[in-house]
Amino acid sequence: MSHIRFTAATSVTALSLALAGCMGGGDIPSASTPITQSEAEMGSEVHPQLLAEFGGAMSGSHAQYVEQVGKNIAVQSGLGNARESFTVSLLNSPVNNAFAIPGGYIYTTRQLVALMNNEAELAGVLGHEVGHVAARHSQRRQAASQRNTLLGAAGAILSGILLGNSGLGQQIGQAALQGSQLLTLKFSRSQELEADELGIRYLNQAGYDPRAMATVLQSLAMQNALDARVQGRDNASIPEWASTHPDPASRVQSAMATAQASGVGGGITNRDTFLTRIDGLTYGDDPAQGVVEGRQFIHPELRLAFTAPQGFYMVNGTRAVSINGQSGQAQFTLAPYSNNLDSYVTSVFAGVSEQQQIRPQSIQKTTVNGLPAAYGTARVNSGNGQVDVTVFAYEFSNSVAYHFLAITPAGQASTFNQMFSSMRRIDSQTAANIIPRVIDVVTVRSGDTVNSLASRMAYSDNQVERFRVLNGLTSNESVSAGQKVKIVVRGR
């Protein structure tokens, strides 16, 4: 969560309308059909807003390399003037994601790039997104009168799990709980598979190993399973709200079959070149947006920290942190503040739903670790029965306040009491000790093993599992002298 990128909650709604306004229909256009002026204009309008939602575009050698590979693979689409028409952005986001919008705008997060193990995989992912653009998937999706929107992950969790598909759930999800970096443009499963096939076709045409699409999907599936174990979730797959690539494990076999059916053997991977070019890439949270360490969220620039309840996991975004568990969900963020906590809490409740007024029974004043605070709870009817909506706000200065917005089943608002009480300021020394993690590419020496290399990972848990997933190694694979591998270390 970054204080410098805070925008009104309507920004994502505006993105939804912009995307929904791109109409089209009919069969897939010819591969040589260039990007139209209207597509380019629509994309250029949405592009800066998407960058803000995903932590901004990175610059420097890492971004230049991703752009180079992306534009080279875009040429394989056959779209007229593809190299000049496509914009390829490396996003400063700690989630595994890649997506595209009409007009030739292609995005991948640094976290997903760090999960890859060769240039062919990078080209495959970017080619998949080029395929969405070339096939005009967003236009076809809208033309079929299917919902095409950008939706925050936390909002989808809350509206889908606790609130059902009620009007209230949709309003809470779309108006009040924006800011997660898991925003996504949804495509149908058939469109995802079609984009896989196009990406593999582009890999073949460019001389890359067509199996790269399957191997990167395999790594993503392994990462999903590891995340579930680390976060204590029963379901090892990421829900559809969390990725433009739902259930990657189920697509691995399909991608591999497509690659084999192409009849092309081998192909380049450029593994060592890729690893050299991504050396030093930031991994995980950027301290400028705050970091999640276990159950703690610490923001060195905002000088604050809090602790999530036992059994809950957090997802950090550019404008908000979502806290997720079986017995409730919450989001931590900020809103405009004018030195009145009562008014602040009231305004947050007022923004929860556009369809009905939600007011707390009362607003209580308190102090939390020296911070002036105010809170209130409202009982609300939803599609799945009654729920409690709680707003807990803290004043950090006369012009700055932050708040939790939490939703729990009726009568269980106390689920988050311990978290509410954990909010605190941090001192300069604590802030200075927050050092980002980065990718460090090393060459395996004689005597090195998976275990010895994994012991150098900058984590206190699951070191071997993290190392294997990061390097695309199954439980039976080992390393050999002279091989380049990735480890995650603290930056300098």
Side-chain angles (χ1 to χ4, degrees):
M1 190 184 87
S2 173
H3 62 297
I4 60 174
R5 296 193 179 96
F6 173 71
T7 56
T10 54
S11 63
V12 179
T13 303
L15 292 175
S16 304
L17 295 175
L19 286 167
C22 183
M23 302 296 292
D27 297 328
I28 300 176
S30 168
S32 61
T33 304
I35 292 170
T36 66
Q37 183 176 351
S38 62
E39 289 172 336
E41 289 174 352
M42 192 277 289
S44 66
E45 179 181 352
V46 176
H47 174 63
Q49 300 174 64
L50 271 175
L51 292 182
E53 294 292 343
F54 279 84
M58 300 183 71
S59 58
S61 59
H62 297 131
Q64 291 167 3
Y65 175 59
V66 170
E67 180 183 28
Q68 172 194 333
V69 173
K71 292 207 169 192
N72 286 344
I73 204 69
V75 171
Q76 305 302 325
S77 69
L79 291 172
N81 208 25
R83 189 177 297 278
E84 290 74 25
S85 299
F86 275 80
T87 299
V88 184
S89 300
L90 177 63
L91 301 172
N92 185 24
S93 169
V95 298
N96 292 298
N97 213 341
F99 56 96
I101 60 174
Y105 290 85
I106 306 300
Y107 309 85
T108 184
T109 62
R110 56 174 168 77
Q111 195 74 0
L112 183 55
V113 172
L115 185 63
M116 300 172 191
N117 285 287
N118 58 59
E119 187 176 289
E121 291 185 345
L122 175 60
V125 167
L126 297 177
H128 170 102
E129 302 307 335
V130 169
H132 280 309
V133 174
R136 268 64 177 192
H137 279 162
S138 62
Q139 293 93 316
R140 292 164 59 203
R141 192 100 165 114
Q142 185 62 31
S145 300
Q146 295 173 334
R147 187 163 174 263
N148 184 14
T149 186
L150 288 166
L151 178 63
I157 298 171
L158 292 165
S159 61
I161 296 177
L162 284 177
L163 300 174
N165 293 319
S166 65
L168 172 64
Q170 293 172 9
Q171 288 301 324
I172 288 178
Q174 295 179 40
L177 293 172
Q178 306 293 356
S180 168
Q181 288 192 18
L182 299 180
L183 297 171
T184 179
L185 175 60
K186 291 295 185 183
F187 294 114
S188 69
R189 185 170 298 277
S190 64
Q191 287 176 331
E192 290 290 356
L193 291 172
E194 184 177 39
D196 282 349
E197 293 175 2
L198 288 171
I200 291 168
R201 181 191 305 173
Y202 303 156
L203 285 175
N204 272 329
Q205 293 171 182
Y208 286 113
D209 187 339
R211 295 170 295 183
M213 184 71 76
T215 56
V216 73
L217 285 168
Q218 179 64 41
S219 290
L220 188 56
M222 292 166 61
Q223 184 67 58
N224 290 353
L226 175 60
D227 288 343
R229 290 197 300 273
V230 170
Q231 295 166 355
R233 290 187 280 116
D234 292 333
N235 187 352
S237 65
I238 290 185
E240 291 204 9
W241 47 259
S243 174
T244 46
H245 306 286
D247 193 17
S250 69
R251 290 166 51 203
V252 173
Q253 290 183 335
S254 176
M256 188 63 76
T258 300
Q260 291 171 345
S262 70
V264 178
I268 61 173
T269 62
N270 283 353
R271 174 182 167 84
D272 283 5
T273 297
F274 171 82
L275 293 176
T276 299
R277 296 297 295 269
I278 70 163
D279 193 24
L281 185 64
T282 301
Y283 186 87
D285 290 327
D286 180 348
Q289 298 172 0
V291 300
V292 175
E293 293 286 354
R295 291 193 296 119
Q296 275 201 98
F297 176 76
I298 308 172
H299 203 305
E301 293 189 10
L302 302 185
R303 296 291 180 86
L304 60 81
F306 65 84
T307 305
Q310 186 74 39
F312 284 68
Y313 68 95
M314 289 183 279
V315 177
N316 186 21
T318 53
R319 293 190 293 111
V321 183
S322 64
I323 303 96
N324 314 296
Q326 293 298 316
S327 55
Q329 281 78 33
Q331 190 173 63
F332 176 72
T333 188
L334 77 166
Y337 183 59
S338 55
N339 198 27
N340 187 313
L341 276 176
D342 281 31
S343 298
Y344 183 93
V345 171
T346 300
S347 68
V348 174
F349 272 108
V352 167
S353 175
E354 295 177 359
Q355 296 183 343
Q356 60 176 291
Q357 291 185 335
I358 299 178
R359 294 192 181 94
Q361 292 180 344
S362 63
I363 297 177
Q364 307 292 323
K365 292 286 189 63
T366 188
T367 301
V368 176
N369 298 318
L371 295 167
Y375 63 94
T377 298
R379 183 69 51 87
V380 181
N381 291 317
S382 77
N384 290 350
Q386 290 189 321
V387 296
D388 284 341
V389 178
T390 300
V391 175
F392 206 113
Y394 312 82
E395 180 183 271
F396 274 72
S397 73
N398 291 338
S399 59
V400 177
Y402 304 97
H403 69 274
F404 290 104
L405 173 60
I407 301 180
T408 58
Q412 297 183 32
S414 61
T415 297
F416 290 109
N417 282 356
Q418 198 170 27
M419 181 178 73
F420 297 152
S421 299
S422 71
M423 178 59 65
R424 60 199 181 276
R425 294 183 189 272
I426 60 172
D427 58 28
S428 57
Q429 185 59 52
T430 301
N433 289 337
I434 304 301
I435 302 172
R437 293 181 174 95
V438 299
I439 292 291
D440 185 20
V441 175
V442 299
T443 302
V444 178
R445 297 171 300 182
S446 178
D448 281 341
T449 64
V450 166
N451 285 356
S452 68
L453 291 164
S455 69
R456 298 159 61 181
M457 296 278 285
Y459 290 94
S460 59
D461 66 315
N462 299 283
Q463 287 178 311
V464 171
E465 292 83 355
R466 292 179 191 273
F467 176 81
R468 285 191 177 280
V469 170
L470 185 66
N471 289 283
L473 299 174
T474 66
S475 58
N476 297 322
E477 290 182 282
S478 59
V479 294
S480 56
Q483 175 185 359
K484 289 185 184 296
V485 295
K486 297 171 287 181
I487 58 176
V488 177
V489 300
R490 292 291 181 182
R492 297 169 180 83

